[in-house]
Amino acid sequence: MFPRPLTPLAAPNGAEPLGRALRRAPLGRARAGPGGPPLLLPSMLMFAVIVASSGLLLMIERGILAEVKPLPLHPPSREAAAWRRALPRPAGLPLGPGDPDWQVRQDVRNRTLRAVCGQPGMPRDPWDLPAGQRRTLLRHVLVSDRYRFLYCYVPKVACSNWKRVLKVLAGVLDSVDVRLRMDHRHDLVFLADLRPEEIRYRLQHYFKFLFVREPLERLLSAYRNKFGEIPEYQRRYGAEIVRRYRAGAGPSPAGDDVTFPEFLRYLADEDPERMNEHWMPVYHLCQPCAVHYDFVGSYERLEADANQVLEWVRAPPHVRFPARQAWYRPASPESLHYHLCSAPRALLQDVLPKYILDFSLFAYPLPNVTREACHQ
């Protein structure tokens, strides 16, 4: 019924396994337990994967791949193909088989995930993870038993709207259009609420998905929202950032005027595994090697991908993903370009490695912050 889960991909003949190369890298590693295999952490060697992904995406932008149909990872059965053709499609939103850009991006993501996650030493299920990483993962995976799916929520990637959808599917809300302040915990079920045997069953039998966003655009969105609008974040994080990184700040700054370079300096000094969820890398939130997701949607195609998921899980026809509000102004590529070009390049070099797996695994090209690009 659903897209088939990813399976490990062996390294090409004669090629050094990526896991072995990563373990030689100096950025560190963790172990699953005494004597257990090493669990790989982000490495600069992942840039090789990103270059390949970026090249494909650049070809898409230039229209070179407009007529290319990539080979399917799993040839669909006749029954599955007929079932998908019968699904209604939102008007004006090309999906899956009819959209070459969508096909290529999904193909790149799937193949990269299989290549990286299939290497020796990578976690294969949540119980391969250290306790802290497993706890973070289980606290971010939402459960719908009625529709048999698991959704790993990523803050700043429309997770509030997805939680609203889950509450409608559970019968808690009448409509996704109800305008109430979102309670991010009440009336929701997380994998962390379940017993280990219940977790294993759902991981094996339920449809699993997450949504991702260009990593630095997600950071900019979190920066604008949390330090520009939320007093709690200004007091808890903003004040500390100003004390650390601004000369002459004084002992009690308000924290409501954090600059983007100051925020980046803070991120460069933080351990990704202990970051606040709004800027923690997606890799650490959702562990895409330990959980074999059936689908990875894009914020860039949010409405189309989200409604495709709702069709796959056979949600009632009246349940559609909420449309973006007219007043909402997301962080744009132009705004991101401005902020990145205004930041010291050395600072970006310190921050990017922490998000390198988000760029590579989900097929996002690295930002172009050369002098030429920034002066355009």
Side-chain angles (χ1 to χ4, degrees):
M1 177 183 296
F2 302 126
R4 297 171 66 181
L6 305 175
T7 54
L9 180 69
N13 291 334
E16 179 185 30
L18 183 58
R20 189 186 309 158
L22 286 172
R23 285 197 292 275
R24 291 204 317 270
L27 292 186
R29 60 187 178 184
R31 287 191 175 272
L39 298 178
L40 306 181
L41 300 179
S43 165
M44 291 300 292
L45 292 179
M46 293 304 299
F47 274 106
V49 181
I50 295 173
V51 169
S53 302
S54 304
L56 279 174
L57 295 178
L58 181 61
M59 292 169 71
I60 293 172
E61 292 173 1
R62 295 180 177 178
I64 297 174
L65 294 180
E67 302 301 324
V68 173
K69 295 182 178 180
L71 294 175
L73 293 177
H74 305 285
S77 66
R78 292 181 180 178
E79 179 183 359
W83 179 79
R84 289 192 192 178
R85 282 196 299 270
L87 290 175
R89 303 256 173 123
L93 293 173
L95 293 175
D99 184 352
D101 290 10
W102 186 91
Q103 289 179 347
V104 173
R105 184 183 289 273
Q106 288 298 318
D107 190 61
V108 170
R109 283 180 181 163
N110 290 349
R111 293 180 185 277
T112 306
L113 279 165
R114 294 192 321 181
V116 174
C117 297
Q119 296 303 310
M122 296 300 282
R124 301 302 173 91
D125 70 47
W127 280 267
D128 284 344
L129 299 169
Q133 293 183 20
R134 182 168 63 251
R135 185 166 50 248
T136 296
L137 168 65
L138 298 182
R139 288 175 176 175
H140 282 82
V141 177
L142 287 151
V143 181
S144 173
D145 284 324
R146 180 179 296 181
Y147 293 93
R148 298 176 65 84
F149 70 78
L150 303 178
Y151 159 60
C152 184
Y153 81 86
V154 178
K156 310 313 298 178
V157 192
C159 71
S160 294
N161 277 345
W162 267 116
K163 290 174 182 178
R164 194 181 299 275
V165 168
L166 264 80
K167 292 189 177 190
V168 171
L169 292 176
V172 176
L173 290 179
D174 293 330
S175 167
V176 295
D177 298 320
V178 174
R179 292 295 156 219
L180 297 174
R181 180 178 177 83
M182 172 55 63
D183 186 325
H184 290 270
R185 303 295 305 180
H186 191 61
D187 293 322
L188 294 169
V189 178
F190 298 82
L191 279 184
D193 300 327
L194 307 179
R195 295 190 299 271
E197 62 271 19
E198 296 173 326
I199 294 172
R200 287 188 174 95
Y201 177 85
R202 285 158 178 78
L203 287 171
Q204 182 178 355
H205 295 285
Y206 283 18
F207 179 70
K208 300 171 288 295
F209 69 95
L210 75 154
F211 274 71
V212 297
R213 184 177 187 176
E214 200 283 335
L216 295 180
E217 185 178 295
R218 176 174 167 248
L219 290 183
L220 178 59
S221 178
Y223 162 76
R224 288 172 39 175
N225 174 239
K226 301 307 174 186
F227 299 114
E229 303 174 12
I230 313 297
E232 177 186 352
Y233 275 77
Q234 294 168 358
R235 292 190 298 267
R236 181 175 178 181
Y237 295 99
E240 177 62 24
I241 290 172
V242 171
R243 276 195 297 268
R244 280 195 209 176
Y245 303 108
R246 187 179 303 172
S252 302
D256 59 353
D257 60 347
V258 175
T259 67
F260 191 63
E262 288 171 340
F263 179 52
L264 293 180
R265 287 192 176 91
Y266 167 73
L267 295 177
D269 290 340
E270 286 292 288
D271 179 352
E273 294 182 23
R274 292 177 170 80
M275 287 180 176
N276 178 279
E277 65 174 8
H278 289 86
W279 41 84
M280 181 181 284
V282 176
Y283 179 84
H284 291 290
L285 289 172
C286 295
Q287 295 290 343
C289 290
V291 175
H292 306 296
Y293 292 98
D294 300 290
F295 180 70
V296 178
S298 298
Y299 185 83
E300 296 77 17
R301 294 181 42 88
L302 178 60
E303 187 176 353
D305 282 359
N307 285 322
Q308 178 72 85
V309 168
L310 291 174
E311 291 170 352
W312 275 331
V313 301
R314 296 193 178 276
H318 69 276
V319 179
R320 309 306 297 167
F321 195 76
R324 183 173 290 162
Q325 297 299 302
W327 52 264
Y328 180 66
R329 294 291 180 269
S332 66
E334 294 76 19
S335 176
L336 176 62
H337 185 70
Y338 168 80
H339 281 85
L340 293 181
C341 288
S342 301
R345 272 197 202 99
L347 187 54
L348 294 176
Q349 291 173 354
D350 290 338
V351 171
L352 281 174
K354 296 178 184 289
Y355 298 89
I356 204 68
L357 285 176
D358 285 4
F359 278 102
S360 61
L361 291 178
F362 305 123
Y364 286 107
L366 288 169
N368 184 356
V369 290
T370 61
R371 288 184 176 85
E372 294 78 8
C374 287
H375 290 157
Q376 289 179 355

